[in-house]
DNA sequence: CAGTGGTCTAGACCACAAC
DNA sequence: TTGTGGTCTAGACCACTGG
């Protein structure tokens, strides 16, 4: 037996990158519950020191976990463990407030701005009205357990809902439509895809510009088939799980 | 008026990061059509030189565009302009082959592996059978215009589809069920959320491990309400746009 | 003001793809 | 063999958060 240590054959295989070790270590600490939901992770500098490497490698590990949806980042504030996803079912009549509460989480809604303007080309097309027709343009921010998770931009046909802006807009708009205008939402059309958050949206959500998100565009229809409102939602990418059940149809 | 030049007030505002310029420049070249779909971008080194900066900054710009879905990356092969998203409607009876073709794109399916095994706990639960019951486990890879965009893992109740593995599995499984077993898919249950691709999935899709993706889990049901198969799909994040129309129900 | 992430410099070596 | 992205070193300064 030679004194010189034999190289382990395994070491001739492609070595797992350094950042993978950091990722795995953190992932394990999350899985075992050592780091619980919303807990703050060690700083990038601490991590790089304790793993005897540089901030770049630590950062890569954190970014990988972020992409997976295991952790999230508050801009210049640090890294935190992601809470479980909230399940959203477009077919359910439950409002945001209702389905979040039903899952044991605490929803909040905050009005950012609300005004009446003339319909843009985009809004007119989606609301089935003419450019320049009066629409309400409403921006809101929604929270789950105190974390801002979504900003939304709602456009409503103003002529269908006179004086709507007098109503408190940090409550359910669906309920307001029902209670004050006898308008019931019976059908929803949605388009959605992963994208990234603009600088403005990111600011509202306390994250860095360019953070990945989930874009959802919803058109709501009332019992007469009329479009009531169009809602663009910009979610953080780790917050939602979409769940839906569909009956097959020949329709496109 | 002092001789000393006044600072332009604008310059006291936070300066846009360097990588934003590179991002914007590339985004503009994509928008104007100078760089068309699937075109290869300049290499990271070329970009960093032409913008008189380092690879890190160039890379950040490219990663930002990747998150937006404007460009994609083939592992160690370079960066390319993303083609438009394909619209997928879960309610439509169209198969992958059909809806991709209908949008002027060319779909391909490749069988990776197919075997009969005993149901895992996960498979048993989702198929409504017992652990160890015979199931087909099928892995496939799907392409659009030659680009690998999704890997899927299908589990079927083997007892419902005797000798299914004898059928060519690079064609539509839905059609095979209909043609040979008189089983029609009438209902689908889906769960989906953004996530990241595992090393194995990434290899199949020619991308780097940890690339962000879109996870879709589908349970298909036949005309009798029986579960026919469960399908886990791992899409690249920039490929799909989900489009759906739902009638509201009191059901959860 | 101290601490955090955000951005950047100026390099380096590696694994792999394509020729 | 050459060129690409993938990973990494060892620093630096900046913008902003929070006490």
């Amino acid at each position: 037996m030679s004194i010189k240590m034999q190289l382990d054959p395994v070491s001739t295989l492609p070595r797992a990158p350094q950042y993978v070790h950091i990722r795995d270590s953190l992932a394990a600490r999350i899985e075992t519950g050592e780091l619980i939901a919303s807990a703050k992770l060690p700083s990038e500098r601490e991590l790089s020191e304790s793993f005897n490497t540089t901030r770049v490698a630590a950062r890569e590990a954190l970014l990988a976990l972020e992409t997976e949806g295991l952790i999230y980042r508050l801009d210049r504030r640090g890294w935190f463990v992601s809470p479980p996803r909230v399940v959203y079912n477009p077919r359910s009549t439950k409002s945001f407030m209702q389905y979040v509460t039903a899952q044991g989480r605490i929803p909040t809604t905050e009005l950012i701005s609300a005004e009446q303007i003339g319909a843009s080309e985009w809004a007119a097309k989606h609301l089935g009205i003419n450019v320049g027709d009066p629409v309400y343009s409403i921006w809101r921010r929604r929270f789950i357990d105190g974390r801002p998770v979504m900003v939304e931009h709602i456009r409503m046909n103003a002529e269908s809902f006179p004086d709507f802006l007098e109503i408190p807009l940090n409550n359910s708009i669906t309920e307001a439509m029902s209670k004050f205008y006898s308008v019931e939402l019976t059908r929803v059309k949605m388009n959605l895809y992963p994208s990234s958050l603009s600088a403005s949206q990111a600011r509202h959500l306390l994250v860095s510009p360019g953070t990945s998100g989930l874009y959802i565009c919803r058109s709501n229809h009332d019992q007469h088939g009329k479009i009531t409102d169009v809602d663009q939602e910009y979610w953080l990418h780790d917050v939602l799980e979409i769940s839906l059940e569909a009956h097959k149809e020949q329709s496109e």
Side-chain angles (χ1 to χ4, degrees), chain A:
Chain A
M1 188 180 184
S2 81
I3 293 179
K4 193 173 179 189
M5 200 64 163
Q6 289 294 317
L7 280 181
D8 180 349
V10 171
S11 70
T12 65
L13 291 175
R15 189 176 59 85
Q18 176 110 24
Y19 78 85
V20 172
H21 298 319
I22 309 181
R23 190 224 81 96
D24 291 349
S25 161
L26 288 173
R29 290 168 67 185
I30 292 170
E31 213 161 335
T32 63
E34 183 189 333
L35 291 167
I36 60 167
S38 304
K40 188 172 187 307
L41 273 61
S43 76
E44 294 180 1
R45 285 172 180 83
E46 277 181 70
L47 282 173
S48 59
E49 276 173 35
S50 63
F51 285 90
N52 198 30
T53 179
T54 60
R55 257 185 80 198
V56 178
R59 207 172 157 74
E60 267 166 51
L62 293 164
L63 290 167
L65 288 165
E66 184 189 38
T67 302
E68 291 177 59
L70 272 178
I71 67 176
Y72 66 93
R73 193 172 20 149
L74 291 183
D75 195 46
R76 288 163 215 275
R77 261 160 276 219
W79 297 83
F80 304 83
V81 178
S82 294
R85 290 178 189 273
V86 164
V87 178
Y88 170 58
N89 183 341
R91 272 187 99 201
S92 163
T93 50
K94 286 183 175 161
S95 70
F96 171 78
M97 299 306 239
Q98 290 169 325
Y99 67 77
V100 172
T101 303
Q103 290 171 58
R105 312 282 288 275
I106 299 173
T108 325
T109 304
E110 177 192 89
L111 179 65
I112 296 171
S113 67
E115 55 178 342
Q116 179 176 324
I117 58 174
S120 67
E121 197 172 332
W122 189 93
K125 183 179 142 216
H126 281 80
L127 287 170
I129 59 179
N130 295 317
V131 174
D133 284 357
V135 300
Y136 301 131
S137 171
I138 302 169
W139 284 90
R140 303 198 298 182
R141 179 160 69 152
R142 308 200 106 159
F143 301 75
I144 295 179
D145 296 335
R147 175 189 178 202
V149 293
M150 184 260 270
V151 292
E152 63 179 349
H153 188 188
I154 302 167
R155 273 84 149 213
M156 299 169 56
N157 184 340
E159 291 183 343
S160 304
F161 300 96
D163 300 320
F164 196 87
L165 298 188
E166 310 302 318
I167 297 168
L169 293 174
N170 57 340
N171 295 324
S172 167
I173 283 189
T174 307
E175 281 174 27
M177 287 180 174
S178 170
K179 198 189 297 185
F180 301 117
Y181 300 88
S182 300
V183 167
E184 309 295 337
L185 301 193
T186 58
R187 202 158 52 86
V188 59
K189 196 170 173 333
M190 289 184 34
N191 283 62
L192 63 96
Y193 52 86
S195 185
S196 72
L197 300 169
S198 74
S200 150
Q201 294 148 8
R203 244 193 327 275
H204 281 302
L205 299 177
L206 308 186
V207 300
S208 312
T211 296
S212 71
L214 184 65
Y215 170 75
I216 304 182
C217 180
R218 307 192 310 165
S219 301
N220 289 312
H221 301 251
D222 69 12
Q223 65 269 40
H224 310 299
K226 193 172 175 189
I227 300 169
T228 59
D229 62 303
V230 176
D231 185 355
Q232 293 179 292
E233 303 179 347
Y234 304 89
W235 292 82
L236 295 177
H237 83 289
D238 65 339
V239 171
L240 270 197
E241 170 169 354
I242 314 278
S243 172
L244 58 99
E245 201 161 333
H247 293 268
K248 293 288 190 174
E249 294 204 349
Q250 293 303 337
S251 72
E252 168 61 0

